[in-house]
């Protein structure tokens, strides 16, 4: 699993992104959908339309890193919806870990 410093923020795009995109395409989606700079060192998460695939993009001072996962059964689900006017949500490392495992956090307390 990923180990992230506390200073790293995790942004999840709330709308579907074409996951055929590579490094540059996901960096462009980071700028247009999440409105952050991909070279910031923060972690950016993208889901496909069916929500059974997920890609993570991060810049590590020497280049981009992509992590790609496909669920064999079930879907990835976001615990919250974005605030009005936003196209992304911010999660913590614990939520990201559960999201990557396919755990549905909607309604969790």
């Amino acid at each position: 699993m990923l180990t992230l410093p506390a200073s790293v923020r995790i942004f999840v795009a709330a709308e579907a992104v074409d996951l055929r995109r590579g490094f540059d395409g996901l960096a462009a989606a980071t700028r247009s959908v999440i409105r952050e700079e991909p070279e910031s060192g923060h972690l950016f998460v993208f889901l496909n339309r069916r929500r059974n695939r997920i890609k993570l993009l991060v810049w590590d001072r020497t280049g981009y890193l992509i992590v790609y996962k496909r669920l064999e059964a079930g879907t990835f689900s976001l615990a919250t919806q974005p605030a009005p006017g936003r196209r992304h949500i911010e999660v913590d490392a614990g939520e990201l870990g559960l999201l990557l495992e396919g755990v549905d956090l909607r309604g969790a307390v």
Side-chain angles (χ1 to χ4, degrees), residues 26-28 30-31 36-42 44 57-59 64:
L26 291 176
T30 299
R31 289 184 188 98
E36 291 283 335
E37 279 302 313
E39 293 91 7
S40 65
H42 299 307
F44 303 98
L57 177 72
V58 67
W59 175 263
Y64 287 114

Side-chain angles (χ1 to χ4, degrees), residues 12 14 51 77-83 88-91 95 105-108:
V12 181
R51 293 188 178 238
S77 61
L78 301 177
T80 59
Q81 293 300 312
H88 69 277
I89 60 171
E90 191 169 348
V91 299
E95 287 177 275
L105 294 176
R106 289 177 293 187

Side-chain angles (χ1 to χ4, degrees), residues 40-94:
S40 65
H42 299 307
L43 189 107
F44 303 98
V45 181
F46 302 95
L47 299 163
N48 66 339
R49 188 171 314 282
R50 294 188 328 193
R51 293 188 178 238
N52 66 339
R53 297 172 193 243
I54 192 168
K55 273 191 180 180
L56 285 61
L57 177 72
V58 67
W59 175 263
D60 74 352
R61 293 180 294 185
T62 60
Y64 287 114
L65 169 73
I66 290 179
V67 176
Y68 189 24
K69 181 171 183 173
R70 178 186 71 193
L71 287 178
E72 291 299 318
T75 59
F76 296 107
S77 61
L78 301 177
T80 59
Q81 293 300 312
R86 306 298 296 249
R87 296 166 63 191
H88 69 277
I89 60 171
E90 191 169 348
V91 299
D92 62 26

Side-chain angles (χ1 to χ4, degrees), residues 17-40:
V17 172
D18 182 358
L19 293 188
R20 293 176 294 182
R21 294 180 180 197
F23 297 103
D24 296 327
L26 291 176
T30 299
R31 289 184 188 98
S32 65
V33 175
I34 300 176
R35 305 238 183 255
E36 291 283 335
E37 279 302 313
E39 293 91 7
S40 65

